[in-house]
Amino acid sequence: MEEESKSLPSKDNFSEWYNELLMTAQIMDVRYPIKGVYVWYPFGFSIRKKVYNMLRNLLDVDHQETYFPMLIPKPELLKESEHIKGFEDEVYWVTHGGLSELEVPLALRPTSETAIYPMYKLWIRSHADLPLKLYQIVNTFRYETKHTRPLIRLREITSFKEAHTAHATWDDAEKQVHEAMDLYSEFFTKLAVPFIVHKRPEWDKFPGADYTMAFDTMMPDGKSLQVGTVHHLGTKFAKTYDITYEDEKGERQYVNQTCYGISERCIAAVIGIHGDNKGLVLPPNASQTQVVIIPIIFKKDDGGVKEACQKVKELLRANDIVAVIDDADERPGAKYYKWEMKGTPFRIEIGPRDIKNNSVMLVRRDGKKESIPMDGLPETVRNKLFEFQTDLLNAARDSMLARVKACETLDEAKQQIENGWATMPWCGEKACGLEMENAVNCKLLGEAHTIKGAGKCPICGKATDRIITMARSY
Amino acid sequence: MEEESKSLPSKDNFSEWYNELLMTAQIMDVRYPIKGVYVWYPFGFSIRKKVYNMLRNLLDVDHQETYFPMLIPKPELLKESEHIKGFEDEVYWVTHGGLSELEVPLALRPTSETAIYPMYKLWIRSHADLPLKLYQIVNTFRYETKHTRPLIRLREITSFKEAHTAHATWDDAEKQVHEAMDLYSEFFTKLAVPFIVHKRPEWDKFPGADYTMAFDTMMPDGKSLQVGTVHHLGTKFAKTYDITYEDEKGERQYVNQTCYGISERCIAAVIGIHGDNKGLVLPPNASQTQVVIIPIIFKKDDGGVKEACQKVKELLRANDIVAVIDDADERPGAKYYKWEMKGTPFRIEIGPRDIKNNSVMLVRRDGKKESIPMDGLPETVRNKLFEFQTDLLNAARDSMLARVKACETLDEAKQQIENGWATMPWCGEKACGLEMENAVNCKLLGEAHTIKGAGKCPICGKATDRIITMARSY
């Protein structure tokens, strides 16, 4: 699996750049013989591992991880009619075991409500069992008929983190919605992925939910990428699957539920937002390796360079900073190319002159270069990693916000969404919303707390202080 | 999900005990509406998490984790004819996406050779790419027609760790077989699961392999449970999937491959071997919680007991020993019951008398009880956890070996396998082997390095120094 020296198309041509980068940096191999199904390269999976361990650590504070079956019997899947309507065209069906036809066809889970909630019915009996907060990280399946794209639109979603909670009251569940949003905010901030949270319009909420809050980020082409969702399910599923508890007074009540999910789209966002023409740019939190050390050797007598590299590596590792030495028999330039392609946050170059100065040359993946003293090296590197992480997030957030623009007319919005998102007043009526989507050829992402304003609905002309975000979307 | 106070059937009735324990200790819920498909309770999954993280840590030293697709197109699956013959009756087929019939039926992976090796063909080009050592931890599927059993015989294997390696020569691959066996030996030793490694007879090797080495353990009913396998694949799959590399001389050669797997059967072994009539007994390495601290309070003024419990918990946690305090409003006896059911290795009881003596009462899950001083507590607990782990392994190994008996006649073997394993001379001929299996109504596990002897084949009478193990098996 040797890398090739190959240059990427310019990131201005985002779609082409993205596809090339996934192969060249060895994130995903697109050559698997099923449309919409891709293979994680080991390097790509190292990012997945790092990112999902971070997600696990956040969840494990007050959730428990578990695992529910991948196969769902047809009658269970069909029980919740509103829910299944959202998925029925996209479900894969297992009809045969060996050469025999199955009596009951089995669905590959498109998401796991219908696998989990029949068990919740058995597990929850009393108010003392609440709240129940479980999650799992699993593969899910959608028979996508739209254009598929690695990490973004998949027939096998390999890394779906889905949490499912049950609570005594609607308000308790709403509180959980906010806790989940806080948790996701922390997660995406750690990933240096900026986002705006939208409350999805009624017609675009999760099938069966009371409402849906979605984390949207902006890709370099201005399109929105939904990277996380949090749903308040109310008692909808509880009524279908008969999930009840006995309250303090001894009366049976339906539970109120929430569910929230994140998929490998979070990694697509990191790649798409931060990468550049040289390859990946990984925030330190998403990279297995934080620092690559490159020995700069001019002649046979290395002047102590190798020894110094070893010492720096051990110093950093002793301080929980993952550093590796690239001592391959290649020119430094070839090594720079390779590690830049892989997005390693920092490169440390050590040559005879650095040793003389008792310092090393630190190069950030974004090109910033400075000599730093050996004294206090681990602390300096740690601080600078944090600084780099923060710089990435701030730059990405600024870039996103600069491309969100309040528009006054539908024509203006239509132009705006070519490179970003448009915001406009909206009266709140579905008919007007759908007409806006049609007129602008976009999706209404919904309303965001963080975007305020007032004006007139562009369709019916009613005065309103509701502002809605419009975007082309993945 | 409150536990009930319920006693288990005696472990003498192993099968009933096992099924009851899985539910009562909340390992697996068997009430999912598909035969042979079970749900991990969060507590059960905490064991899975702990055990598989240990396995990951062992593998990550020189393997890379990755993820290959779950769906395999029919033509790829059928390519290796000998391999598919081993699985064809057991493959689940996806035939529909939404309402449309798929052009190419897709198999749910029964194991991943046929998903991975077409990619190895693309990834391996030169000797510099070798060895390649990847692994994944995934769900796999078998349409089992035999009697299914949680963690042991499943239609969805939720936790299949499969490693796939490629090497330049047959000897290199053989070296890898031994490395994998060493790795598995370390893994099972850490799990306190004793084993005997058998070279499977020709007719029972992995379909397509040159040979198969299997890790067998003995369950309390004397049946063998195969908990791990290591296969030398030679160039069989390389020839089918055209996986070649250019050697140092510039000539194309087929790679030699190995693969090796472990499933959640490793957890079935821990449960079955160590559990007792009170519930689970977890080796410290398999338990998320090592120590439960129970405050013993007699009156309202607790005499500093709660504070002491908190102090002990923090002391232990600061030393990487996971301790929890059970301060529920229940009698100590009810708490003992609960934590014994869950197999927590150590219980620490702290009452006013212990505080006066500056000590705590330490109770091992197997009942051994002693007062230990507060001075140096974390070191003492750590040493005693290690001792407990070792005691469990030694006791289990002794118990297993005591039930392996050299037999002279087939009748004797038939009687022996009622409660253990029989060993007998065998000439090495398949015909004789199959006749032995028939006569004794058992499986020939194969030959073990560790079991030596000589005698006459009970079928043909030929003198031989090959000794084969016979057992009823799961």
Side-chain angles (χ1 to χ4, degrees):
Chain A
M1 281 207 279
E2 301 239 293
E3 294 92 333
E4 288 166 48
S5 282
K6 193 171 161 184
S7 47
L8 295 173
S10 160
K11 200 182 172 188
D12 296 339
N13 191 339
F14 177 66
S15 189
E16 205 185 313
W17 172 90
Y18 180 80
N19 290 337
E20 278 292 322
L21 175 62
L22 289 184
M23 283 295 286
T24 310
Q26 300 194 330
I27 311 287
M28 305 292 296
D29 196 323
V30 300
R31 294 171 291 177
Y32 193 76
I34 300 179
K35 171 187 150 76
V37 167
Y38 309 101
V39 178
W40 284 97
Y41 276 106
F43 172 69
F45 201 79
S46 76
I47 301 172
R48 193 273 198 189
K49 217 164 161 166
K50 180 91 181 176
V51 168
Y52 276 72
N53 280 343
M54 194 165 81
L55 185 54
R56 275 197 172 94
N57 287 339
L58 289 172
L59 285 160
D60 284 346
V61 172
D62 73 339
H63 298 66
Q64 290 180 286
E65 189 171 353
T66 179
Y67 185 84
F68 288 85
M70 195 276 275
L71 296 169
I72 302 170
K74 190 168 182 178
E76 292 295 334
L77 191 76
L78 300 188
K79 246 183 203 165
E80 217 310 295
S81 60
E82 191 175 334
H83 182 64
I84 184 60
K85 252 185 237 138
F87 293 105
E88 63 189 342
D89 295 338
E90 295 188 349
V91 172
Y92 277 110
W93 291 103
V94 178
T95 58
H96 287 74
L99 301 172
S100 339
E101 188 165 351
L102 301 178
E103 279 174 34
V104 176
L106 303 172
L108 308 192
R109 60 182 159 219
T111 167
S112 301
E113 286 71 17
T114 58
I116 295 178
Y117 299 165
M119 303 311 297
Y120 274 22
K121 171 186 165 61
L122 300 171
W123 290 357
I124 297 169
R125 294 186 222 162
S126 131
H127 59 89
D129 297 330
L130 301 176
L132 179 63
K133 303 186 193 179
L134 304 184
Y135 77 94
Q136 60 178 5
I137 297 176
V138 299
N139 50 352
T140 64
F141 298 84
R142 308 269 169 102
Y143 180 63
E144 286 286 354
T145 46
K146 292 190 205 166
H147 184 65
T148 54
R149 193 186 298 270
L151 300 176
I152 291 181
R153 188 168 292 281
L154 302 162
R155 288 188 167 179
E156 178 178 13
I157 297 161
T158 66
S159 312
F160 188 48
K161 188 288 298 169
E162 49 179 330
H164 296 267
T165 71
H167 308 267
T169 66
W170 199 92
D171 287 348
D172 288 350
E174 172 132 293
K175 211 172 132 251
Q176 186 62 32
V177 165
H178 288 287
E179 283 182 28
M181 284 166 57
D182 288 347
L183 193 153
Y184 281 9
S185 299
E186 187 176 347
F187 174 68
F188 287 114
T189 300
K190 284 185 177 214
L191 274 188
V193 168
F195 56 84
I196 292 178
V197 181
H198 291 104
K199 183 169 184 176
R200 286 278 182 266
E202 274 298 303
W203 61 91
D204 198 29
K205 66 186 187 185
F206 182 69
D210 280 5
Y211 66 84
T212 289
M213 306 300 294
F215 283 67
D216 295 307
T217 192
M218 192 191 289
M219 291 297 255
D221 55 5
K223 286 165 85 171
S224 69
L225 182 71
Q226 171 181 302
V227 287
T229 46
V230 182
H231 313 291
H232 194 311
L233 302 179
T235 54
K236 181 87 171 183
F237 287 89
K239 284 176 177 161
T240 303
Y241 291 94
D242 191 30
I243 312 172
T244 63
Y245 69 98
E246 195 177 273
D247 68 13
E248 273 95 342
K249 296 178 203 138
E251 280 163 28
R252 296 224 71 80
Q253 306 284 356
Y254 286 111
V255 299
N256 282 267
Q257 295 177 268
T258 81
C259 65
Y260 31 103
I262 279 180
S263 75
E264 55 254 59
R265 281 188 162 198
C266 64
I267 294 170
V270 171
I271 293 171
I273 291 170
H274 298 298
D276 64 18
N277 290 342
K278 290 176 172 177
L280 280 178
V281 176
L282 291 177
N285 284 332
S287 182
Q288 197 179 41
T289 303
Q290 273 85 49
V291 178
V292 56
I293 303 165
I294 312 256
I296 310 291
I297 297 171
F298 296 99
K299 34 188 176 179
K300 283 225 167 134
D301 168 21
D302 80 344
V305 165
K306 278 186 189 161
E307 199 187 326
C309 288
Q310 193 60 36
K311 190 178 145 199
V312 167
K313 175 179 140 181
E314 280 161 20
L315 254 177
L316 294 176
R317 292 213 166 215
N319 286 275
D320 292 326
I321 298 166
V322 179
V324 298
I325 300 173
D326 185 349
D327 54 8
D329 187 18
E330 287 176 312
R331 289 176 306 103
K335 295 180 185 178
Y336 300 168
Y337 165 85
K338 190 172 64 183
W339 292 94
E340 282 169 351
M341 182 62 76
K342 292 207 178 293
T344 311
F346 284 3
R347 178 172 86 222
I348 285 181
E349 304 167 6
I350 305 180
R353 185 198 306 244
D354 301 297
I355 293 176
K356 226 172 73 188
N357 295 340
N358 199 30
S359 66
V360 302
M361 187 58 74
L362 180 76
V363 188
R364 301 197 337 176
R365 175 59 183 80
D366 61 0
K368 274 198 184 170
K369 194 167 174 170
E370 63 181 315
S371 176
I372 60 171
M374 276 297 292
D375 293 342
L377 185 76
E379 294 70 27
T380 312
V381 171
R382 191 197 315 284
N383 290 340
K384 291 197 174 286
L385 282 168
F386 183 76
E387 200 176 286
F388 180 53
Q389 174 92 25
T390 310
D391 288 354
L392 285 179
L393 176 61
N394 288 341
R397 188 183 284 143
D398 291 350
S399 160
M400 178 178 80
L401 294 179
R403 288 176 292 155
V404 180
K405 196 181 143 200
C407 295
E408 306 212 332
T409 67
L410 292 171
D411 277 349
E412 201 186 331
K414 200 163 181 173
Q415 203 182 327
Q416 167 60 17
I417 65 161
E418 287 304 308
N419 299 299
W421 300 351
T423 63
M424 285 195 87
W426 168 55
C427 65
E429 291 299 323
K430 180 172 176 181
C432 291
L434 292 178
E435 214 172 313
M436 287 165 77
E437 288 191 339
N438 270 332
V440 178
N441 193 17
C442 71
K443 204 180 130 168
L444 295 196
L445 298 181
E447 295 169 68
H449 290 305
T450 47
I451 302 176
K452 303 281 179 205
K456 284 180 180 167
C457 174
I459 306 297
C460 69
K462 207 180 285 171
T464 179
D465 59 0
R466 300 174 78 159
I467 301 293
I468 199 147
T469 307
M470 309 165 85
R472 291 172 304 133
S473 71
Y474 277 98
Chain B
M1 280 206 280
E2 300 238 294
E3 294 91 335
E4 288 166 47
S5 282
K6 193 171 160 183
S7 47
L8 295 173
S10 160
K11 200 182 172 187
D12 296 339
N13 191 339
F14 177 66
S15 190
E16 206 186 312
W17 172 90
Y18 180 79
N19 290 337
E20 278 292 323
L21 175 62
L22 289 184
M23 284 295 285
T24 310
Q26 300 194 330
I27 311 287
M28 304 292 295
D29 195 323
V30 301
R31 294 171 290 178
Y32 193 76
I34 300 179
K35 171 187 149 77
V37 167
Y38 309 101
V39 178
W40 284 97
Y41 276 107
F43 172 69
F45 201 79
S46 77
I47 301 173
R48 193 273 199 189
K49 216 164 161 166
K50 180 92 181 176
V51 168
Y52 276 72
N53 280 343
M54 194 165 80
L55 185 54
R56 274 198 172 94
N57 287 339
L58 290 171
L59 285 160
D60 284 346
V61 172
D62 73 339
H63 298 66
Q64 290 179 287
E65 188 171 354
T66 178
Y67 185 84
F68 288 86
M70 195 277 275
L71 296 168
I72 302 170
K74 190 169 183 178
E76 292 295 332
L77 191 77
L78 300 188
K79 245 182 205 167
E80 216 311 294
S81 59
E82 191 175 334
H83 182 64
I84 184 60
K85 252 186 238 137
F87 293 105
E88 62 189 343
D89 295 338
E90 295 188 349
V91 172
Y92 277 111
W93 291 103
V94 178
T95 57
H96 287 74
L99 301 172
S100 339
E101 187 165 352
L102 301 179
E103 279 174 33
V104 176
L106 303 172
L108 308 192
R109 60 182 159 217
T111 168
S112 301
E113 287 71 18
T114 58
I116 295 178
Y117 299 164
M119 303 311 297
Y120 274 22
K121 171 186 164 62
L122 300 171
W123 290 357
I124 297 170
R125 295 187 221 159
S126 131
H127 59 90
D129 298 329
L130 301 176
L132 179 63
K133 303 185 192 180
L134 305 185
Y135 78 95
Q136 60 177 5
I137 297 176
V138 299
N139 50 352
T140 64
F141 298 84
R142 307 270 168 102
Y143 180 63
E144 286 285 354
T145 46
K146 292 190 205 166
H147 184 65
T148 54
R149 193 186 297 271
L151 300 176
I152 291 181
R153 190 168 292 281
L154 302 162
R155 288 189 168 179
E156 178 178 13
I157 297 161
T158 66
S159 312
F160 188 48
K161 189 288 298 169
E162 49 179 330
H164 296 268
T165 70
H167 308 266
T169 66
W170 199 92
D171 287 348
D172 288 350
E174 173 131 292
K175 211 172 132 251
Q176 186 62 32
V177 165
H178 288 287
E179 283 182 27
M181 284 166 57
D182 288 347
L183 192 152
Y184 281 9
S185 299
E186 187 176 347
F187 174 68
F188 287 114
T189 300
K190 284 185 178 217
L191 274 188
V193 168
F195 56 84
I196 292 178
V197 181
H198 291 104
K199 183 170 184 175
R200 285 278 181 266
E202 275 297 304
W203 62 91
D204 198 29
K205 65 186 188 185
F206 182 69
D210 280 6
Y211 66 84
T212 289
M213 306 301 294
F215 283 67
D216 295 307
T217 192
M218 191 190 290
M219 291 297 254
D221 55 5
K223 286 164 85 171
S224 69
L225 181 71
Q226 171 180 302
V227 287
T229 47
V230 182
H231 313 291
H232 194 311
L233 302 179
T235 55
K236 181 86 170 182
F237 287 88
K239 284 176 178 161
T240 303
Y241 291 94
D242 192 30
I243 313 172
T244 62
Y245 69 97
E246 195 177 273
D247 69 13
E248 274 94 342
K249 296 178 203 138
E251 280 163 28
R252 296 224 71 80
Q253 307 283 356
Y254 286 111
V255 299
N256 281 267
Q257 295 176 270
T258 81
C259 64
Y260 32 104
I262 279 180
S263 75
E264 55 254 60
R265 281 187 162 199
C266 64
I267 294 170
V270 171
I271 293 171
I273 290 170
H274 298 298
D276 64 18
N277 290 343
K278 290 177 174 178
L280 280 178
V281 177
L282 291 177
N285 284 332
S287 182
Q288 197 180 41
T289 303
Q290 273 85 50
V291 178
V292 56
I293 303 166
I294 312 256
I296 310 291
I297 297 171
F298 297 98
K299 34 187 176 178
K300 283 225 167 133
D301 168 21
D302 80 344
V305 165
K306 278 186 189 161
E307 199 187 325
C309 289
Q310 192 60 36
K311 189 178 146 199
V312 167
K313 176 180 141 180
E314 279 161 21
L315 254 176
L316 293 176
R317 292 213 165 214
N319 285 275
D320 291 326
I321 298 167
V322 179
V324 298
I325 300 172
D326 185 349
D327 53 8
D329 187 18
E330 287 176 311
R331 288 175 307 102
K335 295 181 185 177
Y336 300 169
Y337 165 85
K338 190 172 64 182
W339 292 95
E340 282 169 350
M341 182 62 76
K342 291 207 178 294
T344 312
F346 285 2
R347 177 173 85 221
I348 285 181
E349 304 166 7
I350 305 181
R353 185 197 307 245
D354 302 296
I355 293 177
K356 226 171 74 189
N357 295 341
N358 199 30
S359 65
V360 302
M361 187 58 74
L362 181 76
V363 188
R364 300 196 339 175
R365 175 58 183 81
D366 61 0
K368 275 198 183 170
K369 194 167 173 170
E370 64 180 314
S371 175
I372 59 171
M374 276 297 293
D375 292 342
L377 186 76
E379 294 70 28
T380 313
V381 171
R382 191 197 314 284
N383 291 340
K384 291 198 174 286
L385 282 168
F386 183 76
E387 200 176 285
F388 180 54
Q389 174 92 26
T390 310
D391 288 354
L392 285 179
L393 176 61
N394 288 341
R397 188 183 283 142
D398 291 350
S399 161
M400 178 178 80
L401 294 179
R403 287 177 292 155
V404 180
K405 196 182 141 198
C407 295
E408 306 212 332
T409 67
L410 292 171
D411 276 349
E412 200 186 332
K414 201 163 180 173
Q415 204 182 325
Q416 167 60 18
I417 65 161
E418 286 304 308
N419 299 298
W421 300 351
T423 64
M424 286 195 86
W426 168 54
C427 66
E429 291 299 323
K430 179 172 177 180
C432 291
L434 292 178
E435 215 172 312
M436 288 165 77
E437 288 191 339
N438 271 333
V440 178
N441 193 18
C442 71
K443 205 180 129 167
L444 295 196
L445 298 181
E447 296 169 68
H449 289 305
T450 47
I451 302 177
K452 303 282 179 204
K456 284 181 179 166
C457 174
I459 306 296
C460 68
K462 207 180 286 171
T464 178
D465 59 359
R466 301 175 78 159
I467 301 293
I468 198 146
T469 307
M470 309 165 84
R472 292 172 303 132
S473 71
Y474 277 99

